[in-house]
Amino acid sequence: MSVGLGAAAAAAWRAVRWSVVVPVLQVAVYVCAAMSLMLFLERLYMAAVVAALWLSRRRKRLAADARQRVKDDEDDLEAGVDDHRCPMVLVQIPMFNERQVYRLSIGAACGLSWPSERLVIQVLDDSTDPSIRELVEAECARWARKGVRIRYESRSNREGYKAGAMREGLRKPYARCCELVAIFDADFQPDPDFLRRAVAPLRRDPGVALVQARWRFVNADDCILTRIQEMSLNYHFAVEQEVGSACHAFFGFNGTAGVWRLAALADAGGWKERTTVEDMDLAVRASLRGWRFVYVGDLGVRNELPSTFRAYRYQQHRWSCGPANLFRKVLPEILRSDRVSPWKKLHLLYGFFLVRKVVAHLVTFLFYCVVIPACVLVQGDVHLPKYVAMYVPAAITLLNAACTPRSWHLLVFWILFENVMSMHRSKAAVIGLIEASRANEWVVTDKLGSCKQQAAPVAKKKQQQARRREVHVLELAMGVCLLYCAVYDIVFFGQDHFYMYLLLQSAAAFIVGFGYVGATAPS
């Protein structure tokens, strides 16, 4: 009797396998292949543009000419330093419980080289900890006693989060007379000449709404997590922002280290909190109104990368969910816009949103964490082209990593870690697209401050003792599933050697799951 039931179950499984499982997996392979090719062609296009820009600049402009142009810009600004025609600039520093870094950002802003009567610094403190509010307010008062025009602003609620704080700040009477607004998050430290260099494109061209600077990371060498982030963000700034500025006069505002023309900001409708990427939302709306953006790649602003995996995961949820949710909301606005060309609409809808903000996350998770392990379990009955599994992903990875040569030796672990993170990013993208319950979740990224700020070795030792490693259940579950698939492949199949990848990927998932990536979290 039991033998008959076993034979019937085996026959039923074979029928389901050949009629449902194998066809579905084969379709999934082709879908992933199409998405991989979309991503590869986008990366190849941007690499070609960056190469062409580099060759053009090398041919047309000698180093001496470049230095002379910068000097001319500085001389123009220097001549207007004491002139009442010099633009009135408001510097906004939004904060939320920034105990570790508030002195750095306030001090750097107060050290900006700009006519004192043409500069107002506004600290927007939404802290919920009264002791931190007192510290920040005291720091502002200290700089005010030195003659700096600095204003401390706080709210009784966090309505609109960062967007709400900046919107309220622009409504202050002293802010209404300003022409430009520079924005720095609490961990950003601009050099004294930042405004001199960033304001120049806005003065030359009244059609420019935004000048965006590049981020420079002060803690990139802290741990492997920060090194991995440096690799990803270097590509974003050196390629994506550069291409957007050169070819489309549009790129996503990074929310900090940028200078906006207040007239353009108001024309676009001001700050809105309909998504968790209020900076990108503003940039899209301003672009649809016909404003242009300029990216200055050689103007860097120091800042801190999240060094704990927990902080990084929350940040990536916001950065993945927000753009997908914004895509859903601005799609009709982009299609209806009559102020931008079809070329820019195509760039916004296809390149900027669909490929980079949706496809890039989904294909990584679906292919490397779902489809390949599932193909192993059906023992080779699904055709998996090598170009999909190896060649195209390898080319994409090399194009991404080319911007950070010093970390090429971390390339393998970077790939494996990105595959683990794709689980969170793809989930966040789907949440944003369907606008689920966590679509508007806002968790401020924790900053630990520079290790140089630690007062004494004793304090540092106590801080280390008070830390603990976190266990991440989803990553551990991923590791178990991938390890099972690897063992199954070794025992029953193994012809295509997928078990080698699955073993490495499961090891990476376990390393992340047991909290061995990034700094340890405070207990």
Side-chain angles (χ1 to χ4, degrees):
M1 184 69 176
S2 60
V3 175
L5 290 176
W13 162 242
R14 284 195 296 271
V16 171
R17 174 177 170 176
W18 286 106
S19 61
V20 178
V21 177
V22 172
V24 168
L25 273 179
Q26 192 65 66
V27 171
V29 168
Y30 292 140
V31 170
C32 289
M35 291 194 292
S36 294
L37 289 174
M38 290 168 62
L39 188 59
F40 170 69
L41 292 175
E42 176 72 8
R43 294 287 193 267
L44 193 62
Y45 155 71
M46 290 191 290
V49 171
V50 169
L53 289 173
W54 183 81
L55 291 172
S56 176
R57 289 166 182 170
R58 182 181 177 86
R59 186 166 49 247
K60 294 181 179 180
R61 187 177 62 190
L62 297 175
D65 296 333
R67 287 195 297 269
Q68 185 62 42
R69 184 175 289 108
V70 172
K71 185 177 183 301
D72 291 342
D73 288 340
E74 291 179 351
D75 289 342
D76 291 343
L77 287 171
E78 191 68 37
V81 162
D82 297 322
D83 195 330
H84 68 278
R85 292 174 299 176
C86 191
M88 188 76 179
V89 179
L90 173 70
V91 176
Q92 287 189 323
I93 309 175
M95 292 189 174
F96 178 74
N97 293 337
E98 306 288 359
R99 184 186 296 274
Q100 303 295 335
V101 295
Y102 72 93
R103 282 198 182 96
L104 293 174
S105 57
I106 294 175
C110 292
L112 289 169
S113 178
W114 199 253
S116 58
E117 68 278 5
R118 310 297 292 172
L119 180 67
V120 180
I121 297 169
Q122 186 182 67
V123 178
L124 304 168
D125 188 13
D126 273 2
S127 298
T128 53
D129 188 332
S131 64
I132 297 179
R133 286 198 176 203
E134 293 175 4
L135 291 172
V136 177
E137 188 171 11
E139 182 69 9
C140 294
R142 186 173 72 86
W143 282 101
R145 289 193 295 270
K146 294 182 178 181
V148 178
R149 295 183 63 188
I150 185 169
R151 302 288 187 273
Y152 174 81
E153 305 290 349
S154 62
R155 302 188 297 169
S156 58
N157 60 75
R158 293 191 65 210
E159 182 180 352
Y161 301 107
K162 179 181 174 181
M166 291 190 291
R167 183 176 58 233
E168 291 297 318
L170 293 177
R171 291 173 179 172
K172 302 298 179 182
Y174 60 84
R176 294 174 184 170
C177 61
C178 295
E179 301 174 48
L180 309 173
V181 56
I183 302 169
F184 301 105
D185 281 351
D187 59 313
F188 278 71
Q189 308 162 49
D191 290 332
D193 65 343
F194 174 85
L195 288 179
R196 294 176 180 272
R197 299 179 60 187
V199 169
L202 291 159
R203 287 165 60 98
R204 285 196 298 263
D205 187 349
V208 172
L210 165 68
V211 172
Q212 174 71 62
R214 183 169 180 163
W215 297 3
R216 302 289 183 187
F217 313 111
V218 299
N219 65 330
D221 293 323
D222 277 7
C223 58
I224 194 171
L225 177 60
T226 54
R227 290 289 291 272
I228 289 171
Q229 292 176 70
E230 182 191 35
M231 295 176 73
S232 300
L233 289 171
N234 277 350
Y235 178 82
H236 168 69
F237 284 105
V239 178
E240 292 179 346
Q241 299 292 75
E242 189 74 59
V243 172
S245 176
C247 295
H248 311 281
F250 169 81
F251 46 81
F253 175 44
N254 296 120
T256 179
V259 181
W260 275 91
R261 191 185 302 275
L262 280 171
L265 197 152
D267 184 48
W271 293 106
K272 295 182 180 180
E273 62 271 14
R274 57 178 176 173
T275 69
T276 56
V277 284
E278 72 292 325
D279 42 17
M280 188 182 295
D281 185 7
L282 176 61
V284 171
R285 286 184 281 113
S287 180
L288 295 180
R289 298 288 294 175
W291 293 94
R292 299 187 302 279
F293 305 158
V294 173
Y295 171 68
V296 185
D298 59 352
L299 176 57
V301 180
R302 291 163 293 153
N303 72 295
E304 179 184 333
L305 293 165
S307 55
T308 66
F309 182 71
R310 180 182 179 87
Y312 180 64
R313 191 176 62 183
Y314 278 124
Q315 181 199 68
Q316 292 302 297
H317 174 85
R318 188 171 75 249
W319 286 7
S320 302
C321 178
N325 189 231
L326 180 62
F327 182 33
R328 166 194 173 114
K329 292 180 177 178
V330 299
L331 177 61
E333 299 175 29
I334 295 174
L335 293 175
R336 290 195 305 264
S337 176
D338 56 359
R339 292 197 179 189
V340 297
S341 65
W343 172 242
K344 181 175 280 192
K345 287 184 180 181
L346 178 64
H347 168 68
L348 275 169
L349 293 175
Y350 177 78
F352 184 77
F353 278 114
L354 180 61
V355 176
R356 296 185 211 168
K357 310 302 181 185
V358 179
V359 168
H361 302 322
L362 294 181
V363 69
T364 304
F365 176 68
L366 289 176
F367 187 57
Y368 291 102
C369 302
V370 177
V371 172
I372 288 181
C375 288
V376 167
L377 295 179
V378 297
Q379 300 182 20
D381 293 328
V382 175
H383 176 59
L384 185 58
K386 286 187 176 180
Y387 76 89
V388 179
M390 297 175 58
Y391 305 139
V392 171
I396 293 173
T397 300
L398 292 175
L399 290 173
N400 286 1
C403 299
T404 314
R406 79 186 192 99
S407 296
W408 283 350
H409 63 288
L410 300 174
L411 198 58
V412 172
F413 189 75
W414 179 54
I415 295 170
L416 298 174
F417 177 78
E418 288 294 299
N419 290 347
V420 174
M421 282 303 302
S422 69
M423 173 176 59
H424 298 288
R425 294 188 182 119
S426 59
K427 179 178 70 173
V430 171
I431 288 173
L433 286 173
I434 66 176
E435 203 162 14
S437 58
R438 292 185 63 196
N440 294 312
E441 180 184 74
W442 182 282
V443 178
V444 176
T445 304
D446 293 332
K447 292 97 177 177
L448 301 182
S450 173
C451 60
K452 296 179 181 179
Q453 292 181 296
Q454 300 297 333
V458 175
K460 189 173 183 179
K461 184 177 180 181
K462 289 182 178 179
Q463 186 183 33
Q464 291 174 346
Q465 291 174 347
R467 294 176 179 272
R468 60 180 173 82
R469 294 197 179 275
E470 292 186 334
V471 174
H472 306 285
V473 177
L474 287 178
E475 285 77 5
L476 293 178
M478 174 188 285
V480 170
C481 292
L482 294 174
L483 181 60
Y484 171 79
C485 293
V487 173
Y488 187 92
D489 192 35
I490 293 172
V491 174
F492 295 104
F493 191 56
Q495 181 177 343
D496 291 327
H497 305 289
F498 281 128
Y499 62 85
M500 298 175 65
Y501 157 71
L502 292 171
L503 286 174
L504 289 173
Q505 190 62 70
S506 64
F510 283 126
I511 290 171
V512 175
F514 284 115
Y516 285 96
V517 172
T520 50
S523 59

